Amino acid sequence: YKKTQTINVNQSVDVGRMAKSSMHRWATRAIADKPISMLQIADGDGVNASPSLPVSMMATHYGISRAADYIGIIAIDPATTITVTAPDGTDKGTFSLARHASAKALAPYTYKYTDGASVAAGTRISCSNPCFMIYDDEGPGADRDETIMMGFTP
């Protein structure tokens, strides 16, 4: 989100509809002086919504259990890289997260990973610094919306 806004209890901020192709531009980070909650109501083509997690719940290792259209990776450390490993153990590469040129100084860094048309079930991603990840599943029987990924830090 590109602006700073002060809100009072029981108010909300709607950042508007965002296409998955613009995740890099609109990744949102909230910093508050009191406990808050944030909810992402997906992109409207399915039924999911996912909460934003506190920094303490970010992790460095993730795996995806089903095929996905893409994996969205978000981190707050500017030096964060991800390493992607295919289900068969093949190294798919190491990628750097970046922040949109117009982003505010505290905005998160992002990367949208896809391996051609999709990401195979069993793909593993490790981050050099704690990250937050979501995936979008578009295949047969999928709910066609963003889903939070749970990871771990060894």
Side-chain angles (χ1 to χ4, degrees):
Y1 198 53
K2 295 191 321 182
K3 69 178 183 175
T4 300
Q5 183 168 343
T6 300
I7 61 173
N8 295 318
V9 175
N10 298 322
Q11 286 184 305
S12 64
V13 176
D14 184 351
V15 298
R17 184 160 166 77
M18 169 186 100
K20 59 188 152 198
S21 61
S22 63
M23 181 190 85
H24 180 66
R25 183 172 183 178
W26 295 106
T28 303
R29 178 182 182 195
I31 301 171
D33 61 349
K34 294 188 173 33
I36 62 167
S37 62
M38 279 181 41
L39 182 66
Q40 176 272 132
I41 308 293
D43 59 13
D45 64 0
V47 296
N48 283 357
S50 57
S52 291
L53 298 178
V55 172
S56 63
M57 289 185 71
M58 296 168 93
T60 58
H61 291 73
Y62 291 82
I64 187 164
S65 60
R66 65 180 306 155
D69 182 33
Y70 72 93
I71 297 174
I73 302 104
I74 299 169
I76 58 174
D77 190 307
T80 301
T81 60
I82 60 165
T83 301
V84 181
T85 306
D88 66 2
T90 304
D91 181 12
K92 302 300 278 183
T94 298
F95 309 92
S96 295
L97 278 67
R99 178 164 58 198
H100 193 269
S102 66
K104 296 280 190 181
L106 294 176
Y109 295 81
T110 65
Y111 191 83
K112 183 178 135 187
Y113 178 77
T114 187
D115 189 12
S118 67
V119 179
T123 297
R124 297 181 309 274
I125 299 176
S126 61
C127 303
S128 60
N129 296 297
C131 292
F132 171 78
M133 293 190 198
I134 61 166
Y135 70 92
D136 192 17
D137 54 349
E138 297 290 334
D143 61 13
R144 298 178 39 90
D145 247 329
E146 292 75 15
T147 302
I148 195 169
M149 293 176 67
M150 296 306 293
F152 70 97
T153 300

